Amino acid sequence: MLLSKKSRPVIEATLPVVGANITEIAGRFYKHMFAAHPELLDGTFNRGNQADGAQQQALAGSVASFATFLIERPDEMPESLLNRISHKHVSLGLAPDQYQIVHDHLMWAIVDVLGDAVTEEVAAAWDEVYWIMADTLINLERGLYSARGVTSKTVWREWEVIHKIQETDNVVTFKVRKVDDRLVRTSLPGQYVTVQMLMPDGIHQPRQYSLTAVDDGEHRQFSVKRVTGEGKPDGEVSNLLHDDVKVGDRLTMSLPYGDVVLDDSGRPVVFASAGVGITPMAGMLSHLANAGSGLPIQLLHADTGESDFALRRQVAADIASLPNAELHVWYENGETSALNADSVHTGYMNFADVDLPEGAMYYLCGPMPFLQAARGSLIDRGIAPTDIQYEVFGPDLWQADFQ
């Protein structure tokens, strides 16, 4: 979908000033929208991301990236950006009519920040940009709902907690089973679910958690790191799950979504993770182990020490069950490993420490500094960016595919 001939020069001329002010525009947009629609904070928006500004930054980056893409690459669509957004939206049960609400308050914010610079012509051009992006997302999301046989209203299900496992001091694994007879399609390896929790103040809050083991449609497994927010909203859900949820309780969860999934082309696989970034890697590795894969597989993981390595026993057992799989670990504290790893290193992950397989697909997950360093190192070694997928927990403030 292309910008009209009338709007294109207007966007080209105004993109620098809108881009320079987009963070302020995004901040005012959210405040204005939530004042008019406080119900959106009940179950749809993560107020932790609102509190620390992450959601505002993500929106600003997405809008600016999309508009730039329309100008610089008019014959293409930023598929990775749109796919990531659409999967997050459907995991939250976003409905098409909510795009009109977003439109009205975003356009208000643009005018509020830029004032008289927003002429009728400028407003019409940015309105066109918004609806190109929104209509594309609506169509993608309609397809994602349809593929799982649900709508925005039926994406949620109740599941019963059947096991709660303390993986490390700050990571807990939940195993759940479905409680009704409705058909539940299995997840794709690497996907996540949204858990919607009722908070003490009566507001529902959603958080996404990676599925950490292969599922059969009847049972699912996900792991949660405790976020120590010291009273701030960004740790409220993880702390509630850690402290209050017990075996026998029921959780409201979305169906699985997520655009970072295991490639099925038969290429070698390299997983590189740090800290709780092991969670989607464990899920993909579990699928490979369940299938009895004969592919060359490497799991590279970095952590403070072995006691901080969540899901270590599960992934070590999966590696041991596969004929061509290897486990390589890096511990900052320099300790040894009891996991029968193929190699153990001190310090931060260094790809030069291992022999990487030819023609592999790479999957990265971990803190942002780790992601940036790992992706940069792989690209320096000649790995094509298209062969590197990365998962970011929370809003994607990096958007590496557009750099």
Side-chain angles (χ1 to χ4, degrees), residues 160-229:
E160 180 185 354
V161 177
I162 57 173
H163 295 293
K164 184 178 180 181
I165 303 164
Q166 192 75 44
E167 298 281 353
T168 68
D169 288 344
N170 63 359
V171 176
V172 166
T173 291
F174 292 90
K175 294 185 178 182
V176 299
R177 66 182 171 203
K178 72 173 189 172
V179 297
D180 58 45
D181 294 329
R182 290 182 295 178
L183 175 66
V184 176
R185 300 181 185 180
T186 57
S187 62
L188 297 177
Q191 292 190 310
Y192 53 79
V193 292
T194 298
V195 179
Q196 192 182 83
M197 298 292 293
L198 179 62
M199 307 312 297
D201 61 0
I203 296 296
H204 294 85
Q205 277 294 282
R207 298 292 187 272
Q208 279 95 21
Y209 298 109
S210 297
L211 293 168
T212 51
V214 64
D215 70 71
D216 57 9
E218 301 287 329
H219 304 85
R220 296 218 158 111
Q221 174 181 305
F222 64 94
S223 302
V224 179
K225 179 181 178 180
R226 183 192 292 274
V227 179
T228 52

Side-chain angles (χ1 to χ4, degrees), residues 112 157 229 245 253 270:
D112 187 53
R157 303 283 169 87
V245 174
M253 292 168 38
V270 177

Side-chain angles (χ1 to χ4, degrees), residues 1 62-63 65-67 69-70 76-90 99 129-141 144 192 259 396 399 401-402:
M1 191 179 297
S62 297
V63 172
S65 294
F66 187 80
F69 210 95
L70 290 179
E76 302 177 42
M77 274 288 172
E79 292 184 3
S80 58
L81 170 69
L82 296 172
N83 284 336
R84 183 154 297 201
I85 294 172
S86 61
H87 276 269
K88 284 290 177 73
H89 283 178
V90 294
Y99 280 93
V129 168
Y130 174 83
W131 282 114
I132 291 174
M133 186 173 185
D135 287 340
T136 305
L137 287 170
I138 289 170
N139 287 330
L140 287 171
E141 289 156 20
L144 290 171
Y192 53 79
D259 62 309
D396 185 359
Q399 297 184 9
D401 295 332
F402 300 93

Side-chain angles (χ1 to χ4, degrees), residues 106-308:
L106 183 59
M107 296 308 294
W108 172 89
I110 291 173
V111 174
D112 187 53
V113 172
L114 300 183
D116 293 341
V118 186
T119 63
E120 287 188 13
E121 184 182 43
V122 170
W126 280 97
D127 189 82
E128 185 177 335
V129 168
Y130 174 83
W131 282 114
I132 291 174
M133 186 173 185
D135 287 340
T136 305
L137 287 170
I138 289 170
N139 287 330
L140 287 171
E141 289 156 20
R142 183 181 296 116
L144 290 171
Y145 284 130
S146 178
R148 290 206 173 272
V150 296
T151 68
S152 60
K153 296 184 183 299
T154 60
V155 72
W156 302 100
R157 303 283 169 87
E158 280 202 331
W159 297 73
E160 180 185 354
V161 177
I162 57 173
H163 295 293
K164 184 178 180 181
I165 303 164
Q166 192 75 44
E167 298 281 353
T168 68
D169 288 344
N170 63 359
V171 176
V172 166
T173 291
F174 292 90
K175 294 185 178 182
V176 299
R177 66 182 171 203
K178 72 173 189 172
V179 297
D180 58 45
D181 294 329
R182 290 182 295 178
L183 175 66
V184 176
R185 300 181 185 180
T186 57
S187 62
L188 297 177
Q191 292 190 310
Y192 53 79
V193 292
T194 298
V195 179
Q196 192 182 83
M197 298 292 293
L198 179 62
M199 307 312 297
D201 61 0
I203 296 296
H204 294 85
Q205 277 294 282
R207 298 292 187 272
Q208 279 95 21
Y209 298 109
S210 297
L211 293 168
T212 51
V214 64
D215 70 71
D216 57 9
E218 301 287 329
H219 304 85
R220 296 218 158 111
Q221 174 181 305
F222 64 94
S223 302
V224 179
K225 179 181 178 180
R226 183 192 292 274
V227 179
T228 52
E230 298 180 354
K232 296 192 301 181
D234 59 345
E236 60 182 349
V237 173
S238 66
N239 286 305
L240 190 62
L241 285 163
H242 271 251
D243 297 335
D244 294 355
V245 174
K246 58 186 181 299
V247 172
D249 287 348
R250 292 190 176 186
L251 297 175
T252 300
M253 292 168 38
S254 75
L255 296 183
Y257 287 103
D259 62 309
V260 179
V261 297
L262 193 64
D263 179 78
D264 60 0
S265 63
R267 298 170 61 182
V269 179
V270 177
F271 302 116
S273 57
V276 77
I278 187 61
T279 53
M281 309 303 171
M284 288 188 271
L285 182 61
S286 178
H287 279 262
L288 290 167
N290 186 65
S293 175
L295 293 173
I297 299 164
Q298 289 184 345
L299 173 62
L300 318 179
H301 182 72
D303 230 311
T304 305
E306 189 147 292
S307 62
D308 301 299

